[in-house]
Amino acid sequence: MGKRVITKLKNPYVSVEGSYGGNQGWFKNIENARKGKTIEGFGCGLIGASDILLHLLGTTENVLEKNAVSNSENKSAGNGNRTASKIDYDKYVQYMEKHFFHILPKLGISGVLLAWNMNMYFLLNRKKIKEITGGRYWARWAVLPFNILKRIKEMLANDIPVILAIGPGMFRKNKLTFFNKIEGTDGSVTFRPATKTKDHYVSVTGVEEYIDANVIKDGKNNNQDNDQGNKTMLEISSWGKKYYVNYNDYLDYVKKNDNFYFSNILYIKKK
């Protein structure tokens, strides 16, 4: 049967009325149509950064300045359980885009700017962050390729979600596969392909390492499709849903289609 080692966030990840993290597609029909179209098409980094701060601080009210989100009847939960109403989440993300994580049409936001503006938020709100989390935080873009998985697990152990970039792979058509996980009553695990993408940020919320295991890769129970031996799957949030990425597939994608500057992580260290 093999062994499974799981590294996860200590607290449940952000949920917006039952979602698994935020979804840039929700902003398509906001009042500012041009801004909504930009967020829908290029706002994955904005969503990832906003969700990190919401996860760390518990509620949109904790993240924002007082009264930055209007007092609606559908108020975000105030008990630190990292949930938000759709109304408040929309206003929250638009506020964060305006003040910290501004995105440009057809460009989005770079990893360097994600780190820069995350550090700006950490600096301006250091007292509040210390009171709520008991620590201070510092961000930088990109780590050495052989340290990516190590740093992901370090951040998860400190209850910090990890923004992972799947680079643009310029002039390449290949994309990275996302999987759904199906667990059988007999303890079997199947990872079934769900979608493919590139030029996208996702948030890593867990790492599942299968050691000397027999994990069905494509939903077909035969030797050709089984992945025997060691296998590492990243649990991710993307478009408000939970998916899984095969870490070796990710490394292969970067080596063949991109580079480890555009495809890397936002490393946040807790002090």
Side-chain angles (χ1 to χ4, degrees):
M1 197 64 188
K3 180 180 179 182
R4 181 168 63 173
V5 179
I6 298 177
T7 306
K8 293 179 69 73
L9 296 168
K10 295 178 181 177
N11 289 293
Y13 190 55
V14 172
S15 176
V16 182
E17 299 183 8
S19 73
Y20 194 71
N23 182 347
Q24 66 206 71
W26 294 336
F27 296 85
K28 180 179 181 180
N29 297 316
I30 62 175
E31 185 175 350
N32 186 333
R34 179 176 294 182
K35 180 62 67 177
K37 186 176 181 180
T38 299
I39 294 176
E40 179 195 17
F42 307 95
C44 48
L46 164 67
I47 295 297
S50 299
D51 283 0
I52 284 177
L53 293 175
L54 180 53
H55 183 87
L56 291 177
L57 299 179
T59 68
T60 56
E61 290 82 1
N62 285 345
V63 179
L64 300 176
E65 298 173 3
K66 188 176 181 180
N67 298 326
V69 172
S70 63
N71 293 321
S72 68
E73 293 180 1
N74 204 7
K75 199 70 175 171
S76 299
N79 58 1
N81 65 355
R82 293 153 183 84
T83 65
S85 71
K86 183 69 163 48
I87 292 174
D88 281 348
Y89 185 81
D90 284 359
K91 293 176 181 177
Y92 161 64
V93 169
Q94 291 181 67
Y95 178 92
M96 298 306 289
E97 194 277 337
K98 180 178 180 180
H99 292 274
F100 291 99
F101 305 108
H102 181 62
I103 56 176
L104 299 173
K106 299 184 180 181
L107 292 176
I109 185 170
S110 70
V112 171
L113 285 177
L114 274 176
W116 175 272
N117 290 292
M118 186 69 77
N119 284 328
M120 184 63 67
Y121 181 89
F122 289 153
L123 177 64
L124 295 175
N125 296 276
R126 57 192 180 279
K127 182 178 179 181
K128 175 173 65 176
I129 293 171
K130 178 74 172 180
E131 290 175 351
I132 295 175
T133 70
R136 295 178 297 158
Y137 297 83
W138 172 83
R140 82 164 189 257
W141 177 249
V143 299
L144 294 172
F146 57 81
N147 275 335
I148 291 176
L149 186 59
K150 177 182 177 181
R151 296 308 183 197
I152 288 174
K153 291 195 287 186
E154 173 193 319
M155 286 178 61
L156 295 175
N158 284 318
D159 200 33
I160 308 171
V162 186
I163 292 179
L164 174 75
I166 303 163
M170 297 178 183
F171 312 113
R172 303 277 187 170
K173 295 183 178 181
N174 294 335
K175 296 182 178 181
L176 183 67
T177 300
F178 292 179
F179 296 88
N180 288 325
K181 184 174 76 169
I182 302 170
E183 297 189 73
T185 56
D186 60 352
S188 64
V189 178
T190 300
F191 289 100
R192 192 181 301 274
T195 187
K196 293 183 178 182
T197 193
K198 59 183 275 189
D199 199 10
H200 187 50
Y201 291 109
V202 301
S203 296
V204 181
T205 59
V207 176
E208 297 188 7
E209 298 172 276
Y210 296 85
I211 302 170
D212 295 327
N214 185 14
V215 180
I216 301 174
K217 183 179 180 182
D218 296 321
K220 300 175 183 178
N221 194 7
N222 57 60
N223 290 332
Q224 182 178 356
D225 294 296
N226 286 3
D227 199 3
Q228 295 180 325
N230 298 338
K231 181 186 186 77
T232 299
M233 302 296 293
L234 306 181
E235 177 189 82
I236 65 167
S237 166
S238 180
W239 303 300
K241 297 180 180 180
K242 182 188 291 187
Y243 294 108
Y244 291 82
V245 166
N246 184 316
Y247 185 63
N248 284 333
D249 287 353
Y250 174 76
L251 295 179
D252 287 343
Y253 171 84
V254 180
K255 292 173 183 177
K256 295 177 181 177
N257 304 282
D258 204 66
N259 61 71
F260 283 103
Y261 178 77
F262 292 115
S263 293
N264 213 295
I265 65 169
L266 180 67
Y267 175 52
I268 300 177
K269 187 172 181 63
K270 184 177 182 179
K271 301 180 179 179

